[in-house]
Each structure stands twice: as C-alpha cells, then as structure tokens.
Amino acid sequence: MNSLAVILGRRRQGKSTLALALAAARSKSVFVFDVNAQYRSIPAFPIDEETITEAMSRTEGCLLAFRPDPGTLTDSWHAFAEILWRWEDYALILDEASEFQGAGWRDEWLDRFLRQAPDSVHIIMTTHRVVDFAKLSRALSSDVFIFQTRQQSDIAMLSSEFPGLSADVIPNLPAYHVLHHWVDYGGIGRNNLWDKPGEWYLDISAAAGAGAGYRRATAGNAA
C-alpha cells in the first residue's frame, strides 16, 4: 500500500531529516528532489534516464539527490517526474513542496503522482505551513507530521480537515518534537507524539555514505 506523508513545520525544526527517516523506513531506494539544497551532504546527480535506470537496478538500493537550478525549477521537475514515473518500488521526497502546489492549483505531474502512483511508490512532502498545500494533498495524505506552530489559521485548518487531531498540543511542542496524526480504520483519527527525536533522527551526512541501511548509487557524474 502506498503512502503520502505530509510534514509541516518552520525552518530548522527537523522536517528534512524526518522526511529522510520516513523514506528510508518505506523503501531501500530513495529519491530526493532537493529544491533548496537541504540535503547538501548527499551528492547531486544529473536528471537523466541513465542515472535513474542505473540506480533502480541496484539490489542494495540507492539514495540520490537532484538539485534543480532555480531558473528551471518547473522544467527540471517535469523532466525528473516523467522519468521516475516509469518505475516502481521507491520513496520520493519532495522538499519544499509548496513550489508545486497551492490553494486552488497543483502542478500536473504532482497531480498524477498523487492520484495514480503505484502502491509501491511512497511520497513524502515537506512545507512550512498547511495552507501551502493543495486541498487534494491534504485529503489524500495517509500521515501528517506537525512540528510546533502558533499560526491560528493553520491550526484551525488542521482541526477542521483532520478529525481527531490533537490540535491543542501543537502550539506548545518543544523543538524537534512532532505530532503524528493518521486516520485509522473506521475513519477514527489517531495521534502519536514523537517526543524522542533520537529515535527517528537520521543523520543526512551518514545516510549519504555507506551506512543507514543502503548505499549511495554512483551512477552518472555528480553535478
């Protein structure tokens, strides 16, 4: 069963490291579309079919980061998405996902991934505020991870769209603590407070090496 995890939080709360930990738990092959170079310790690779084909052929899995030039963000994402769409069995981290959606609009390739991705494809999206996400992203999410926020408009939206969410704890979450919310069978909202960051924290620099349960693919030339 595929999953869509939405991670919300201000800068330096731990969104990127949590995204990598979730991706690694879901698949041995992880692709990061790294809009703002949050995963700087992971070498960047060119967006081309040869690189992704080589990576997906590795039985031990892979960890690849793709960093688009800001001036070609949309074109780079579309080229990347079109190639990746042909594959299955991986996790995709879309960092700063608000670049590809907003109130009332969604990028066409993001829409395709949200609606039609195979069961073996897991998507993890990060952004600062829930209002930055398209309604479809919120509606289709299987898991929502929320770091501290005191934005009342965000808390109100979360409360209205995610029944059973423990919204009262969100304004007072300590640094690096996160509320995990999901909807269980029967439509019952469940909450779990992740208050031990050391249990989920995954060092990005360590993951970029040979550790963390997978090896970095070396296909192509580093960009």
Side-chain angles (χ1 to χ4, degrees):
M1 183 68 176
N2 67 343
S3 60
L4 170 60
V6 167
I7 304 175
L8 307 166
R10 294 176 288 108
R11 294 179 68 248
R12 304 195 181 283
Q13 287 279 307
K15 297 191 304 296
S16 297
T17 50
L18 176 58
L20 186 58
L22 294 174
R26 285 161 169 74
S27 179
K28 64 182 180 180
S29 297
V30 177
F31 296 95
V32 184
F33 197 75
D34 191 10
V35 172
N36 286 339
Q38 295 298 313
Y39 298 84
R40 285 181 290 272
S41 60
I42 300 174
F45 287 81
I47 297 172
D48 60 44
E49 190 162 1
E50 182 180 358
T51 299
I52 294 177
T53 298
E54 174 65 18
M56 290 300 294
S57 71
R58 293 174 174 267
T59 56
E60 71 271 32
C62 64
L63 173 58
L64 291 180
F66 298 88
R67 295 191 191 98
D69 181 271
T72 63
L73 177 60
T74 300
D75 289 342
S76 296
W77 159 245
H78 286 186
F80 172 74
E82 185 174 3
I83 297 169
L84 200 58
W85 182 256
R86 304 167 195 164
W87 297 92
E88 298 185 15
D89 196 16
Y90 59 85
L92 168 62
I93 297 174
L94 192 56
D95 208 40
E96 302 295 342
S98 58
E99 295 285 350
F100 310 101
Q101 61 192 306
W105 73 278
R106 295 181 302 279
D107 171 85
E108 60 191 89
W109 270 105
L110 176 61
D111 188 82
R112 181 178 294 188
F113 271 91
L114 293 178
R115 293 178 183 273
Q116 302 175 31
D119 285 348
S120 60
V121 173
H122 305 279
I123 302 171
I124 300 101
M125 298 194 296
T126 74
T127 196
H128 297 293
R129 302 183 60 195
V130 66
V131 295
D132 295 334
F133 275 126
K135 188 168 185 177
L136 183 69
S137 296
R138 305 193 300 266
L140 296 181
S141 61
S142 57
D143 300 86
V144 182
F145 296 85
I146 310 160
F147 290 91
Q148 185 203 75
T149 181
R150 293 190 172 91
Q151 291 283 343
Q152 289 303 312
S153 58
D154 287 3
I155 295 172
M157 178 177 284
L158 288 164
S159 298
S160 66
E161 296 196 4
F162 299 100
L165 177 76
S166 297
D168 57 312
V169 309
I170 296 172
N172 301 309
L173 287 171
Y176 310 116
H177 290 208
V178 60
L179 179 68
H180 175 206
H181 176 79
W182 72 100
V183 178
D184 210 340
Y185 294 104
I188 300 173
R190 304 292 188 188
N191 300 278
N192 186 19
L193 181 59
W194 292 22
D195 57 359
K196 297 180 177 62
E199 293 182 355
W200 58 261
Y201 178 78
L202 183 60
D203 186 354
I204 293 176
S205 61
Y214 41 27
R215 295 183 179 85
R216 185 179 68 246
T218 55
N221 298 314

